[in-house]
Amino acid sequence: DSGVTQTPKHLITATGQRVTLRCSPRSGDLSVYWYQQSLDQGLQFLIQYYNGEERAKGNILERFSAQQFPDLHSELNLSSLELGDSALYFCASSGDTFSSSTDTQYFGPGTRLTVL
Amino acid sequence: GESVGLHLPTLSVQEGDNSIINCAYSNSASDYFIWYKQESGKGPQFIIDIRSNMDKRQGQRVTVLLNKTVKHLSLQIAATQPGDSAVYFCADLPYNQGGKLIFGQGTELSVKP
């Protein structure tokens, strides 16, 4: 158990809908990361937040957005869902050193999103 | 461009043998590399990391080797056990891009009893 929790574990929805994925980082971790894992694209970095502020961004679609709240939990919002958005979405968290991007990232169990 | 590639998509070894999983990277500016293990239905689990100022780093039953000349990374698992069966990913951290890890496609390791 990494200490990172994600809810829900599974999510089934229809095209065009909007969903919210939730992540609670390990106790004390200030950075939260979101990754998407699909069969054709592998593990892809989406976005990173540090203590409530966006710190790094990957090839995240405009239909996707994220935020980190004062209690450090994070939410990933996916809207206007398409079939191709079906994937595993992982959250990771890491330590409290802004200057050290090499803090180990610990991954949660993921949310499996199925868009029908 | 940035990419991390793996030489073999699958690897099958006998229990007790040593396993070697290879990885090539293209970004010469990367200075930090990590190996993750992902078991079925679970998230990636950190195994070991290495910085570019090192050639070798050892953990418990695992060793990572880094050859910057040919941009090659390998993970060696000693005395492979059935519990080592999983997909193994290498990842690199491009310089000055926060915590953005670039993952390879993964190698599936199967351990035969």
Side-chain angles (χ1 to χ4, degrees):
Chain A
D1 184 359
S2 68
V4 178
T5 60
Q6 291 186 248
T7 57
K9 189 167 185 170
H10 300 280
L11 199 49
I12 301 174
T13 189
T15 55
Q17 296 298 305
R18 173 189 168 95
V19 297
T20 298
L21 281 51
R22 183 188 168 103
C23 168
S24 292
R26 296 186 319 152
S27 177
D29 283 357
L30 297 180
S31 273
V32 169
Y33 312 79
W34 286 98
Y35 290 85
Q36 179 193 59
Q37 186 175 38
S38 61
L39 284 174
D40 55 342
Q41 294 292 323
L43 263 166
Q44 300 280 323
F45 171 83
L46 295 177
I47 198 163
Q48 175 196 0
Y49 278 81
Y50 175 84
N51 203 20
E53 299 292 325
E54 182 184 304
R55 186 170 179 215
K57 206 167 186 176
N59 295 326
I60 186 169
L61 299 172
E62 287 191 10
R63 300 183 286 109
F64 295 3
S65 64
Q67 55 184 325
Q68 185 180 27
F69 295 87
D71 67 354
L72 301 176
H73 90 271
S74 178
E75 293 181 354
L76 179 67
N77 299 296
L78 314 176
S79 62
S80 303
L81 285 167
E82 301 175 359
L83 296 176
D85 297 327
S86 295
L88 275 165
Y89 291 84
F90 288 104
C91 169
S93 75
S94 71
D96 59 358
T97 310
F98 179 82
S99 62
S100 175
S101 57
T102 57
D103 288 339
T104 300
Q105 295 183 28
Y106 294 92
F107 282 74
T111 293
R112 181 174 293 279
L113 174 66
T114 302
V115 182
L116 301 175
Chain B
E2 298 165 350
S3 68
V4 179
L6 292 168
H7 293 305
L8 294 173
T10 61
L11 177 65
S12 183
V13 300
Q14 204 70 36
E15 182 179 357
D17 288 351
N18 296 334
S19 303
I20 300 176
I21 301 172
N22 295 303
C23 180
Y25 64 95
S26 62
N27 189 347
S28 57
S30 293
D31 60 2
Y32 180 63
F33 305 87
I34 314 99
W35 282 98
Y36 280 90
K37 170 186 179 183
Q38 187 176 22
E39 297 174 279
S40 181
K42 297 184 178 180
Q45 176 188 357
F46 172 85
I47 301 173
I48 192 168
D49 58 4
I50 189 168
R51 293 179 188 269
S52 60
N53 61 353
M54 302 172 70
D55 298 324
K56 179 179 179 179
R57 191 166 188 215
Q58 288 184 291
Q60 186 177 14
R61 283 200 306 119
V62 294
T63 301
V64 56
L65 299 177
L66 176 62
N67 185 331
K68 295 178 288 294
T69 302
V70 294
K71 296 180 188 172
H72 183 268
L73 194 66
S74 69
L75 177 70
Q76 300 177 4
I77 304 174
T80 312
Q81 302 168 1
D84 295 326
S85 294
V87 177
Y88 289 80
F89 293 95
C90 63
D92 78 310
L93 191 70
Y95 175 73
N96 211 25
Q97 292 194 37
K100 176 185 177 181
L101 288 176
I102 306 296
F103 281 86
Q105 290 301 307
T107 292
E108 183 173 8
L109 175 67
S110 298
V111 182
K112 296 177 288 186

mmCIF file of all heavy atoms in Angstrom, chain B residues 11-48:
data_model
loop_
_atom_site.group_PDB
_atom_site.id
_atom_site.type_symbol
_atom_site.label_atom_id
_atom_site.label_comp_id
_atom_site.label_asym_id
_atom_site.label_seq_id
_atom_site.Cartn_x
_atom_site.Cartn_y
_atom_site.Cartn_z
ATOM 1 N N LEU B 11 9.632 -11.068 -21.264
ATOM 2 C CA LEU B 11 10.798 -11.807 -20.823
ATOM 3 C C LEU B 11 10.339 -12.943 -19.935
ATOM 4 O O LEU B 11 9.576 -12.723 -18.990
ATOM 5 C CB LEU B 11 11.744 -10.878 -20.049
ATOM 6 C CG LEU B 11 12.994 -11.514 -19.443
ATOM 7 C CD1 LEU B 11 13.912 -12.017 -20.551
ATOM 8 C CD2 LEU B 11 13.743 -10.517 -18.564
ATOM 9 N N SER B 12 10.780 -14.159 -20.245
ATOM 10 C CA SER B 12 10.416 -15.315 -19.453
ATOM 11 C C SER B 12 11.685 -15.927 -18.856
ATOM 12 O O SER B 12 12.645 -16.179 -19.577
ATOM 13 C CB SER B 12 9.690 -16.344 -20.330
ATOM 14 O OG SER B 12 9.272 -17.432 -19.559
ATOM 15 N N VAL B 13 11.695 -16.113 -17.542
ATOM 16 C CA VAL B 13 12.860 -16.673 -16.880
ATOM 17 C C VAL B 13 12.435 -17.776 -15.918
ATOM 18 O O VAL B 13 11.282 -17.847 -15.488
ATOM 19 C CB VAL B 13 13.653 -15.596 -16.102
ATOM 20 C CG1 VAL B 13 14.141 -14.506 -17.025
ATOM 21 C CG2 VAL B 13 12.844 -15.029 -14.961
ATOM 22 N N GLN B 14 13.373 -18.620 -15.592
ATOM 23 C CA GLN B 14 13.151 -19.691 -14.642
ATOM 24 C C GLN B 14 13.345 -19.156 -13.227
ATOM 25 O O GLN B 14 14.221 -18.300 -12.987
ATOM 26 C CB GLN B 14 14.163 -20.812 -14.897
ATOM 27 C CG GLN B 14 13.748 -22.183 -14.414
ATOM 28 C CD GLN B 14 12.616 -22.787 -15.232
ATOM 29 O OE1 GLN B 14 12.540 -22.603 -16.434
ATOM 30 N NE2 GLN B 14 11.742 -23.494 -14.552
ATOM 31 N N GLU B 15 12.506 -19.616 -12.334
ATOM 32 C CA GLU B 15 12.647 -19.226 -10.934
ATOM 33 C C GLU B 15 14.066 -19.513 -10.461
ATOM 34 O O GLU B 15 14.619 -20.586 -10.700
ATOM 35 C CB GLU B 15 11.639 -19.999 -10.074
ATOM 36 C CG GLU B 15 11.668 -19.641 -8.613
ATOM 37 C CD GLU B 15 10.642 -20.409 -7.798
ATOM 38 O OE1 GLU B 15 9.861 -21.182 -8.398
ATOM 39 O OE2 GLU B 15 10.624 -20.238 -6.566
ATOM 40 N N GLY B 16 14.655 -18.539 -9.783
ATOM 41 C CA GLY B 16 16.011 -18.689 -9.275
ATOM 42 C C GLY B 16 17.076 -18.104 -10.180
ATOM 43 O O GLY B 16 18.188 -17.813 -9.720
ATOM 44 N N ASP B 17 16.741 -17.938 -11.453
ATOM 45 C CA ASP B 17 17.682 -17.322 -12.388
ATOM 46 C C ASP B 17 17.703 -15.813 -12.190
ATOM 47 O O ASP B 17 16.819 -15.233 -11.560
ATOM 48 C CB ASP B 17 17.302 -17.640 -13.832
ATOM 49 C CG ASP B 17 17.584 -19.085 -14.190
ATOM 50 O OD1 ASP B 17 18.228 -19.790 -13.372
ATOM 51 O OD2 ASP B 17 17.165 -19.510 -15.287
ATOM 52 N N ASN B 18 18.702 -15.186 -12.785
ATOM 53 C CA ASN B 18 18.766 -13.726 -12.779
ATOM 54 C C ASN B 18 18.029 -13.184 -14.005
ATOM 55 O O ASN B 18 18.056 -13.799 -15.069
ATOM 56 C CB ASN B 18 20.218 -13.248 -12.794
ATOM 57 C CG ASN B 18 20.966 -13.668 -11.548
ATOM 58 O OD1 ASN B 18 20.370 -13.875 -10.487
ATOM 59 N ND2 ASN B 18 22.274 -13.801 -11.662
ATOM 60 N N SER B 19 17.390 -12.035 -13.838
ATOM 61 C CA SER B 19 16.659 -11.384 -14.938
ATOM 62 C C SER B 19 17.350 -10.074 -15.275
ATOM 63 O O SER B 19 17.829 -9.369 -14.381
ATOM 64 C CB SER B 19 15.217 -11.089 -14.532
ATOM 65 O OG SER B 19 14.541 -12.253 -14.124
ATOM 66 N N ILE B 20 17.372 -9.762 -16.545
ATOM 67 C CA ILE B 20 17.905 -8.470 -16.980
ATOM 68 C C ILE B 20 16.896 -7.827 -17.909
ATOM 69 O O ILE B 20 16.519 -8.405 -18.936
ATOM 70 C CB ILE B 20 19.260 -8.613 -17.706
ATOM 71 C CG1 ILE B 20 20.300 -9.243 -16.776
ATOM 72 C CG2 ILE B 20 19.741 -7.242 -18.187
ATOM 73 C CD1 ILE B 20 21.638 -9.501 -17.447
ATOM 74 N N ILE B 21 16.448 -6.653 -17.539
ATOM 75 C CA ILE B 21 15.491 -5.898 -18.341
ATOM 76 C C ILE B 21 16.191 -4.642 -18.824
ATOM 77 O O ILE B 21 16.795 -3.913 -18.030
ATOM 78 C CB ILE B 21 14.237 -5.539 -17.526
ATOM 79 C CG1 ILE B 21 13.569 -6.827 -17.012
ATOM 80 C CG2 ILE B 21 13.257 -4.726 -18.369
ATOM 81 C CD1 ILE B 21 12.434 -6.589 -16.033
ATOM 82 N N ASN B 22 16.122 -4.406 -20.113
ATOM 83 C CA ASN B 22 16.857 -3.300 -20.717
ATOM 84 C C ASN B 22 15.948 -2.154 -21.129
ATOM 85 O O ASN B 22 14.762 -2.333 -21.390
ATOM 86 C CB ASN B 22 17.619 -3.795 -21.943
ATOM 87 C CG ASN B 22 18.692 -4.782 -21.581
ATOM 88 O OD1 ASN B 22 19.583 -4.481 -20.781
ATOM 89 N ND2 ASN B 22 18.621 -5.977 -22.144
ATOM 90 N N CYS B 23 16.558 -0.989 -21.223
ATOM 91 C CA CYS B 23 15.813 0.218 -21.577
ATOM 92 C C CYS B 23 16.763 1.201 -22.252
ATOM 93 O O CYS B 23 17.916 1.334 -21.840
ATOM 94 C CB CYS B 23 15.227 0.813 -20.296
ATOM 95 S SG CYS B 23 14.282 2.311 -20.530
ATOM 96 N N ALA B 24 16.281 1.844 -23.303
ATOM 97 C CA ALA B 24 17.066 2.883 -23.971
ATOM 98 C C ALA B 24 16.327 4.207 -23.830
ATOM 99 O O ALA B 24 15.100 4.238 -23.855
ATOM 100 C CB ALA B 24 17.262 2.537 -25.440
ATOM 101 N N TYR B 25 17.076 5.273 -23.685
ATOM 102 C CA TYR B 25 16.448 6.589 -23.613
ATOM 103 C C TYR B 25 17.083 7.496 -24.651
ATOM 104 O O TYR B 25 18.193 7.242 -25.130
ATOM 105 C CB TYR B 25 16.558 7.178 -22.206
ATOM 106 C CG TYR B 25 17.968 7.468 -21.738
ATOM 107 C CD1 TYR B 25 18.534 8.722 -21.874
ATOM 108 C CD2 TYR B 25 18.732 6.464 -21.147
ATOM 109 C CE1 TYR B 25 19.822 8.982 -21.443
ATOM 110 C CE2 TYR B 25 20.019 6.706 -20.714
ATOM 111 C CZ TYR B 25 20.550 7.969 -20.867
ATOM 112 O OH TYR B 25 21.833 8.216 -20.444
ATOM 113 N N SER B 26 16.377 8.553 -25.007
ATOM 114 C CA SER B 26 16.877 9.409 -26.082
ATOM 115 C C SER B 26 17.264 10.807 -25.608
ATOM 116 O O SER B 26 18.028 11.492 -26.288
ATOM 117 C CB SER B 26 15.828 9.530 -27.189
ATOM 118 O OG SER B 26 14.648 10.141 -26.697
ATOM 119 N N ASN B 27 16.749 11.229 -24.448
ATOM 120 C CA ASN B 27 16.990 12.585 -24.002
ATOM 121 C C ASN B 27 18.295 12.660 -23.215
ATOM 122 O O ASN B 27 18.365 12.245 -22.064
ATOM 123 C CB ASN B 27 15.816 13.060 -23.142
ATOM 124 C CG ASN B 27 15.893 14.539 -22.814
ATOM 125 O OD1 ASN B 27 16.922 15.182 -23.011
ATOM 126 N ND2 ASN B 27 14.803 15.082 -22.310
ATOM 127 N N SER B 28 19.319 13.212 -23.832
ATOM 128 C CA SER B 28 20.625 13.278 -23.170
ATOM 129 C C SER B 28 20.615 14.256 -22.000
ATOM 130 O O SER B 28 21.539 14.262 -21.191
ATOM 131 C CB SER B 28 21.703 13.672 -24.180
ATOM 132 O OG SER B 28 21.367 14.905 -24.792
ATOM 133 N N ALA B 29 19.564 15.088 -21.902
ATOM 134 C CA ALA B 29 19.474 16.041 -20.796
ATOM 135 C C ALA B 29 18.847 15.423 -19.553
ATOM 136 O O ALA B 29 18.808 16.067 -18.508
ATOM 137 C CB ALA B 29 18.668 17.258 -21.225
ATOM 138 N N SER B 30 18.359 14.206 -19.666
ATOM 139 C CA SER B 30 17.774 13.550 -18.491
ATOM 140 C C SER B 30 18.866 13.196 -17.502
ATOM 141 O O SER B 30 19.921 12.693 -17.897
ATOM 142 C CB SER B 30 17.028 12.284 -18.900
ATOM 143 O OG SER B 30 15.897 12.596 -19.666
ATOM 144 N N ASP B 31 18.615 13.474 -16.236
ATOM 145 C CA ASP B 31 19.639 13.178 -15.241
ATOM 146 C C ASP B 31 19.132 12.319 -14.096
ATOM 147 O O ASP B 31 19.788 12.180 -13.074
ATOM 148 C CB ASP B 31 20.246 14.474 -14.695
ATOM 149 C CG ASP B 31 19.212 15.363 -14.041
ATOM 150 O OD1 ASP B 31 18.040 14.959 -13.981
ATOM 151 O OD2 ASP B 31 19.574 16.467 -13.588
ATOM 152 N N TYR B 32 17.954 11.754 -14.294
ATOM 153 C CA TYR B 32 17.394 10.920 -13.234
ATOM 154 C C TYR B 32 16.540 9.846 -13.878
ATOM 155 O O TYR B 32 15.719 10.143 -14.762
ATOM 156 C CB TYR B 32 16.560 11.803 -12.309
ATOM 157 C CG TYR B 32 15.900 11.097 -11.156
ATOM 158 C CD1 TYR B 32 16.649 10.473 -10.168
ATOM 159 C CD2 TYR B 32 14.520 11.074 -11.042
ATOM 160 C CE1 TYR B 32 16.038 9.841 -9.104
ATOM 161 C CE2 TYR B 32 13.895 10.452 -9.984
ATOM 162 C CZ TYR B 32 14.665 9.836 -9.019
ATOM 163 O OH TYR B 32 14.053 9.203 -7.969
ATOM 164 N N PHE B 33 16.725 8.614 -13.434
ATOM 165 C CA PHE B 33 16.048 7.471 -14.039
ATOM 166 C C PHE B 33 15.479 6.583 -12.945
ATOM 167 O O PHE B 33 16.090 6.417 -11.887
ATOM 168 C CB PHE B 33 17.029 6.664 -14.905
ATOM 169 C CG PHE B 33 17.715 7.497 -15.945
ATOM 170 C CD1 PHE B 33 18.892 8.169 -15.636
ATOM 171 C CD2 PHE B 33 17.174 7.640 -17.215
ATOM 172 C CE1 PHE B 33 19.520 8.968 -16.575
ATOM 173 C CE2 PHE B 33 17.792 8.433 -18.159
ATOM 174 C CZ PHE B 33 18.965 9.096 -17.842
ATOM 175 N N ILE B 34 14.316 6.018 -13.241
ATOM 176 C CA ILE B 34 13.624 5.225 -12.231
ATOM 177 C C ILE B 34 13.071 3.945 -12.852
ATOM 178 O O ILE B 34 12.666 3.935 -14.014
ATOM 179 C CB ILE B 34 12.408 6.009 -11.650
ATOM 180 C CG1 ILE B 34 12.787 7.438 -11.302
ATOM 181 C CG2 ILE B 34 11.842 5.294 -10.411
ATOM 182 C CD1 ILE B 34 12.374 8.438 -12.364
ATOM 183 N N TRP B 35 13.041 2.896 -12.076
ATOM 184 C CA TRP B 35 12.376 1.665 -12.470
ATOM 185 C C TRP B 35 11.147 1.468 -11.585
ATOM 186 O O TRP B 35 11.221 1.601 -10.362
ATOM 187 C CB TRP B 35 13.294 0.456 -12.332
ATOM 188 C CG TRP B 35 14.287 0.319 -13.443
ATOM 189 C CD1 TRP B 35 15.592 0.715 -13.435
ATOM 190 C CD2 TRP B 35 14.055 -0.263 -14.734
ATOM 191 N NE1 TRP B 35 16.189 0.414 -14.637
ATOM 192 C CE2 TRP B 35 15.265 -0.181 -15.454
ATOM 193 C CE3 TRP B 35 12.944 -0.844 -15.350
ATOM 194 C CZ2 TRP B 35 15.392 -0.667 -16.762
ATOM 195 C CZ3 TRP B 35 13.080 -1.322 -16.640
ATOM 196 C CH2 TRP B 35 14.294 -1.234 -17.336
ATOM 197 N N TYR B 36 10.040 1.137 -12.256
ATOM 198 C CA TYR B 36 8.800 0.825 -11.553
ATOM 199 C C TYR B 36 8.348 -0.583 -11.927
ATOM 200 O O TYR B 36 8.601 -1.059 -13.031
ATOM 201 C CB TYR B 36 7.681 1.797 -11.938
ATOM 202 C CG TYR B 36 7.719 3.134 -11.237
ATOM 203 C CD1 TYR B 36 8.420 4.205 -11.784
ATOM 204 C CD2 TYR B 36 7.050 3.335 -10.029
ATOM 205 C CE1 TYR B 36 8.442 5.435 -11.148
ATOM 206 C CE2 TYR B 36 7.076 4.561 -9.386
ATOM 207 C CZ TYR B 36 7.770 5.612 -9.954
ATOM 208 O OH TYR B 36 7.799 6.833 -9.319
ATOM 209 N N LYS B 37 7.658 -1.213 -10.998
ATOM 210 C CA LYS B 37 7.061 -2.524 -11.202
ATOM 211 C C LYS B 37 5.550 -2.373 -11.105
ATOM 212 O O LYS B 37 5.055 -1.723 -10.171
ATOM 213 C CB LYS B 37 7.554 -3.477 -10.110
ATOM 214 C CG LYS B 37 6.847 -4.824 -10.032
ATOM 215 C CD LYS B 37 7.338 -5.595 -8.803
ATOM 216 C CE LYS B 37 6.652 -6.948 -8.669
ATOM 217 N NZ LYS B 37 7.085 -7.671 -7.432
ATOM 218 N N GLN B 38 4.832 -2.939 -12.060
ATOM 219 C CA GLN B 38 3.374 -2.865 -12.001
ATOM 220 C C GLN B 38 2.776 -4.257 -12.080
ATOM 221 O O GLN B 38 2.895 -4.940 -13.103
ATOM 222 C CB GLN B 38 2.816 -1.981 -13.124
ATOM 223 C CG GLN B 38 1.314 -1.743 -13.000
ATOM 224 C CD GLN B 38 0.779 -0.785 -14.052
ATOM 225 O OE1 GLN B 38 1.370 -0.578 -15.107
ATOM 226 N NE2 GLN B 38 -0.355 -0.172 -13.759
ATOM 227 N N GLU B 39 2.146 -4.670 -11.014
ATOM 228 C CA GLU B 39 1.433 -5.942 -10.992
ATOM 229 C C GLU B 39 0.021 -5.730 -11.507
ATOM 230 O O GLU B 39 -0.505 -4.599 -11.475
ATOM 231 C CB GLU B 39 1.415 -6.502 -9.573
ATOM 232 C CG GLU B 39 2.812 -6.825 -9.056
ATOM 233 C CD GLU B 39 2.815 -7.255 -7.605
ATOM 234 O OE1 GLU B 39 2.765 -6.368 -6.735
ATOM 235 O OE2 GLU B 39 2.842 -8.465 -7.338
ATOM 236 N N SER B 40 -0.563 -6.796 -11.972
ATOM 237 C CA SER B 40 -1.888 -6.727 -12.577
ATOM 238 C C SER B 40 -2.897 -6.106 -11.615
ATOM 239 O O SER B 40 -3.006 -6.520 -10.458
ATOM 240 C CB SER B 40 -2.334 -8.137 -12.971
ATOM 241 O OG SER B 40 -3.599 -8.102 -13.572
ATOM 242 N N GLY B 41 -3.597 -5.093 -12.076
ATOM 243 C CA GLY B 41 -4.631 -4.461 -11.274
ATOM 244 C C GLY B 41 -4.131 -3.479 -10.237
ATOM 245 O O GLY B 41 -4.907 -2.997 -9.401
ATOM 246 N N LYS B 42 -2.828 -3.173 -10.291
ATOM 247 C CA LYS B 42 -2.269 -2.262 -9.303
ATOM 248 C C LYS B 42 -1.556 -1.091 -9.964
ATOM 249 O O LYS B 42 -1.298 -1.097 -11.159
ATOM 250 C CB LYS B 42 -1.289 -2.998 -8.393
ATOM 251 C CG LYS B 42 -1.919 -4.102 -7.563
ATOM 252 C CD LYS B 42 -0.920 -4.722 -6.619
ATOM 253 C CE LYS B 42 -1.573 -5.786 -5.757
ATOM 254 N NZ LYS B 42 -0.598 -6.400 -4.815
ATOM 255 N N GLY B 43 -1.237 -0.101 -9.165
ATOM 256 C CA GLY B 43 -0.476 1.022 -9.672
ATOM 257 C C GLY B 43 1.016 0.710 -9.699
ATOM 258 O O GLY B 43 1.477 -0.235 -9.046
ATOM 259 N N PRO B 44 1.793 1.476 -10.456
ATOM 260 C CA PRO B 44 3.248 1.279 -10.480
ATOM 261 C C PRO B 44 3.857 1.427 -9.093
ATOM 262 O O PRO B 44 3.466 2.302 -8.323
ATOM 263 C CB PRO B 44 3.723 2.385 -11.421
ATOM 264 C CG PRO B 44 2.538 2.711 -12.274
ATOM 265 C CD PRO B 44 1.359 2.536 -11.380
ATOM 266 N N GLN B 45 4.803 0.559 -8.828
ATOM 267 C CA GLN B 45 5.477 0.546 -7.533
ATOM 268 C C GLN B 45 6.955 0.846 -7.746
ATOM 269 O O GLN B 45 7.626 0.199 -8.551
ATOM 270 C CB GLN B 45 5.295 -0.829 -6.884
ATOM 271 C CG GLN B 45 6.031 -1.018 -5.581
ATOM 272 C CD GLN B 45 5.964 -2.461 -5.098
ATOM 273 O OE1 GLN B 45 5.316 -3.305 -5.716
ATOM 274 N NE2 GLN B 45 6.629 -2.757 -4.010
ATOM 275 N N PHE B 46 7.470 1.848 -7.037
ATOM 276 C CA PHE B 46 8.871 2.232 -7.149
ATOM 277 C C PHE B 46 9.787 1.067 -6.761
ATOM 278 O O PHE B 46 9.562 0.393 -5.759
ATOM 279 C CB PHE B 46 9.137 3.426 -6.237
ATOM 280 C CG PHE B 46 10.587 3.802 -6.115
ATOM 281 C CD1 PHE B 46 11.165 4.639 -7.049
ATOM 282 C CD2 PHE B 46 11.364 3.331 -5.077
ATOM 283 C CE1 PHE B 46 12.493 5.006 -6.938
ATOM 284 C CE2 PHE B 46 12.693 3.680 -4.959
ATOM 285 C CZ PHE B 46 13.258 4.524 -5.899
ATOM 286 N N ILE B 47 10.817 0.840 -7.613
ATOM 287 C CA ILE B 47 11.799 -0.206 -7.290
ATOM 288 C C ILE B 47 13.122 0.418 -6.899
ATOM 289 O O ILE B 47 13.647 0.194 -5.816
ATOM 290 C CB ILE B 47 12.029 -1.142 -8.497
ATOM 291 C CG1 ILE B 47 10.736 -1.805 -8.936
ATOM 292 C CG2 ILE B 47 13.074 -2.197 -8.150
ATOM 293 C CD1 ILE B 47 10.895 -2.603 -10.220
ATOM 294 N N ILE B 48 13.682 1.202 -7.819
ATOM 295 C CA ILE B 48 15.007 1.754 -7.599
ATOM 296 C C ILE B 48 15.213 2.919 -8.558
ATOM 297 O O ILE B 48 14.576 2.969 -9.620
ATOM 298 C CB ILE B 48 16.096 0.675 -7.798
ATOM 299 C CG1 ILE B 48 17.455 1.148 -7.284
ATOM 300 C CG2 ILE B 48 16.174 0.224 -9.259
ATOM 301 C CD1 ILE B 48 18.491 0.028 -7.182
#
